[in-house]
């Protein structure tokens, strides 16, 4: 695997003149690597982040090509005009979505009149193209800093000699990212591509690092499939990539505070404090032979939810369990697939997809529930304290596109 960086252009174009220069990195190993199962973790010293708490979701609803802002109680606060969306992609609200959301820029991937993918921004009802991508390029992994105009995404394209794929990660302010050079470029002969997970910033909210993982390109599966490997931190000041979780770790998620990461190994779900190496684990339930997958760590780094099960969607034998535990190692909830049939209104034959956590009076797990036979999907919210399951909205073709912040 060949990795290269374009650091000089990064420093010039990263956030243009509106953001201060990138400071000297303070990331350093805090202890020796630790072996956990078949995985290797390396704790590091680095700045802890603010704990952003989502209060709403961005979603496409039936009969619309636009994105709705759905509040934590299921109320729609309005719609961002987007035109034709790329299905199952993230969008980034570059500001607070709670009040006067129409004044907040929303960045997303859309399809232009020429059939090509565009990086777009919608503001005040006007959709503008920031960048157009050739047909040979696939775009993915759009993320951003909550309530800020900074975002990152990755591109994938075949190598000219057919020997593999090249993935590139771009980062910058949405107004300047179209001209930015990649901050990370990886050529891989096994079709394994780099995808951004989160943007780290220092005390002045200037980006100083980027978290990324690797995923096999072109490999699909059902709702119990989520193959990702390793967790790495790209230091923007030095261009050095630091390993937190090795490639033998089936990485699942980085917490919103960027303090904890979760992964699976040999049928066990692990979560570790990336500063100290403290680790908790949850073995699969007896009888389950798939997962854990789609793990999400809740706001405040207190709770963790994940999916596991047995069988397959393709032959109608899928049985899944949504489980919830604490980062102290205690299980506090277990929900079989049947618990979501009535709240979803989609009947038998449904599948679950956990999406993350959202705050209400209590912390709720947000899930997409879909019935492929009926070509319908809905958003549900599960209260981790009471076990109550609430329907938030029906989903359209574009589906869930991310979380919104107050």
């Amino acid at each position: 695997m060949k990795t290269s960086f374009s650091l000089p252009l990064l420093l010039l174009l990263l956030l243009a003149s509106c953001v201060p220069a990138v400071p000297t990195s303070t990331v350093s190993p805090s202890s020796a690597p630790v072996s956990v199962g078949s995985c290797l973790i390396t704790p590091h010293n680095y700045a802890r982040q603010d704990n952003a708490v989502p209060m709403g979701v961005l979603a496409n609803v039936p009969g619309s090509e636009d994105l709705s802002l759905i509040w934590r109680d299921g109320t729609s606060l309005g719609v961002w005009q987007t035109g034709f969306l790329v299905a199952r992609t993230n969008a980034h609200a570059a500001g607070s979505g709670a009040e006067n959301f129409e004044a907040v820029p929303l960045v997303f991937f859309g399809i232009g009149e020429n059939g090509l993918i565009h990086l777009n921004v919608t503001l005040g009802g006007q959709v503008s193209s920031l960048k157009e991508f050739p047909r040979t390029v696939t775009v993915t992994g759009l993320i951003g800093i909550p309530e800020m105009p900074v975002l990152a995404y990755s591109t994938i394209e075949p190598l000219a000699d057919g020997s593999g794929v090249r993935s590139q990660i771009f980062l910058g302010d949405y107004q300047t990212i179209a001209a930015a050079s990649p901050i990370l470029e990886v050529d891989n002969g096994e079709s394994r591509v780099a995808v951004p997970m989160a943007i780290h910033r220092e005390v002045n909210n200037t980006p100083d690092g980027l978290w990324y993982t690797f995923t096999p390109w072109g490999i699909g599966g059902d709702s119990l499939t989520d193959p990702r490997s390793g967790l790495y931190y790209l230091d923007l000041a030095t261009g050095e990539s630091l390993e937190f979780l090795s490639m033998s770790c089936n990485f699942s998620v980085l917490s919103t505070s960027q303090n904890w990461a979760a992964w699976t190994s040999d049928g066990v779900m692990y979560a570790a404090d990336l500063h100290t190496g403290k680790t908790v684990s949850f073995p699969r339930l007896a009888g389950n032979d798939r997962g854990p997958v789609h793990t999400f760590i809740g706001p405040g780094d207190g709770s963790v939810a994940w999916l596991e099960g047995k069988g397959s969607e393709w032959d109608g034998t899928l049985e899944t369990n949504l489980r919830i535990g604490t980062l102290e190692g205690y299980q506090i909830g277990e929900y079989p697939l049947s618990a979501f049939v009535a709240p979803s209104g989609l009947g038998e034959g449904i599948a679950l997809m956990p999406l993350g956590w959202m705050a209400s009076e209590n912390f709720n797990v947000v899930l997409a529930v879909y019935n492929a036979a009926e070509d319908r999907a809905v958003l549900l919210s599960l209260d981790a304290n009471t076990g109550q399951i609430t329907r938030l909205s029906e989903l359209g073709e574009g589906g869930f596109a991310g979380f919104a912040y107050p």
Side-chain angles (χ1 to χ4, degrees):
M1 180 166 58
K2 171 190 171 187
T3 306
S4 59
F5 309 93
S6 181
L7 187 58
L9 284 176
L10 164 67
L11 298 179
L12 291 173
L13 298 173
L14 178 59
L15 295 177
S17 59
C18 62
V19 177
V22 176
T24 301
S25 170
T26 58
V27 180
S28 61
S30 56
S31 66
V34 179
S35 179
V36 181
S38 60
C39 176
L40 198 65
I41 66 173
T42 305
H44 285 72
N45 291 316
Y46 62 99
R48 294 179 181 266
Q49 300 290 275
D50 293 335
N51 193 27
V53 180
M55 306 295 280
V57 296
L58 302 168
N60 174 246
V61 298
S64 173
E65 293 180 343
D66 303 321
L67 279 180
S68 295
L69 174 59
I70 301 170
W71 203 234
R72 61 194 184 191
D73 61 359
T75 304
S76 176
L77 296 186
V79 175
W80 269 287
Q81 295 183 15
T82 58
F84 192 76
L85 290 168
V86 176
R88 295 176 299 278
T89 188
N90 284 351
H92 173 56
S96 171
E99 298 179 2
N100 193 24
F101 77 95
E102 291 182 345
V104 176
L106 184 76
V107 185
F108 64 97
F109 290 122
I111 299 178
E113 294 180 357
N114 57 5
L116 297 179
I117 303 297
H118 290 244
L119 180 65
N120 292 334
V121 61
T122 179
L123 181 61
Q126 181 67 40
V127 179
S128 303
S129 175
L130 300 174
K131 188 173 183 177
E132 179 182 273
F133 300 91
R135 295 188 188 279
T136 56
V137 173
T138 300
V139 291
T140 188
L142 177 65
I143 60 169
I145 299 176
E147 303 180 71
M148 291 184 62
V150 183
L151 63 136
Y153 66 89
S154 58
T155 62
I156 302 99
E157 59 183 322
L159 293 173
D161 60 5
S163 62
V165 294
R166 171 172 295 163
S167 53
Q168 297 179 318
I169 295 180
F170 297 82
L171 182 148
D173 187 289
Y174 79 90
Q175 295 175 311
T176 62
I177 197 169
S181 296
I183 60 170
L184 177 71
E185 182 177 291
V186 180
D187 292 354
N188 188 278
E190 299 176 348
S191 295
R192 195 178 294 274
V193 299
V195 180
M197 288 290 102
I199 301 166
H200 189 271
R201 65 258 190 217
E202 45 93 271
V203 292
N204 294 318
N205 275 330
T206 303
D208 60 358
L210 182 127
W211 298 89
Y212 65 97
T213 187
F214 287 92
T215 183
W217 189 243
I219 296 179
D222 62 15
S223 58
L224 287 176
T225 305
D226 187 26
R228 291 187 285 188
S229 300
L231 178 64
Y232 299 85
Y233 179 94
L234 174 62
D235 189 316
L236 297 180
T238 65
E240 178 186 4
S241 276
L242 306 173
E243 182 178 88
F244 280 72
L245 303 179
S246 65
M247 291 291 280
S248 59
C249 304
N250 186 8
F251 169 74
S252 193
V253 73
L254 180 70
S255 68
T256 56
S257 66
Q258 303 179 24
N259 293 327
W260 284 75
W263 74 96
T264 62
S265 178
D266 301 325
V268 179
M269 193 282 289
Y270 294 95
D273 185 320
L274 298 176
H275 300 268
T276 66
K278 173 189 174 183
T279 304
V280 297
S281 62
F282 294 88
R284 275 196 300 237
L285 294 173
N288 286 344
D289 58 7
R290 300 186 59 194
V293 293
H294 307 299
T295 305
F296 290 95
I297 297 171
D301 295 343
S303 301
V304 57
W306 69 96
L307 203 64
E308 62 182 64
K310 59 185 176 181
S312 170
E313 286 179 39
W314 314 132
D315 61 12
T317 62
L318 182 68
E319 296 180 30
T320 56
N321 302 90
L322 177 74
R323 299 177 64 190
I324 301 175
T326 73
L327 293 181
E328 296 298 324
Y330 301 104
Q331 179 173 313
I332 58 175
E334 180 187 326
Y335 303 88
L337 190 63
S338 58
F340 301 91
V341 173
S344 71
L346 300 181
E348 301 292 338
I350 61 172
L352 303 179
M353 184 64 68
L355 302 169
W357 292 76
M358 180 172 62
S360 58
E361 287 74 15
N362 302 302
F363 288 136
N364 290 19
V365 181
V366 179
L367 308 99
V369 180
Y370 58 92
N371 187 319
E374 296 188 6
D375 194 24
R376 291 179 60 200
V378 298
L379 276 178
L380 298 181
S381 176
L382 186 154
D383 188 312
N385 291 319
T386 67
Q388 181 179 357
I389 302 173
T390 304
R391 178 170 165 148
L392 295 177
S393 173
E394 188 136 355
L395 289 176
E397 184 179 355
F400 170 80
F403 287 98
Y405 296 82

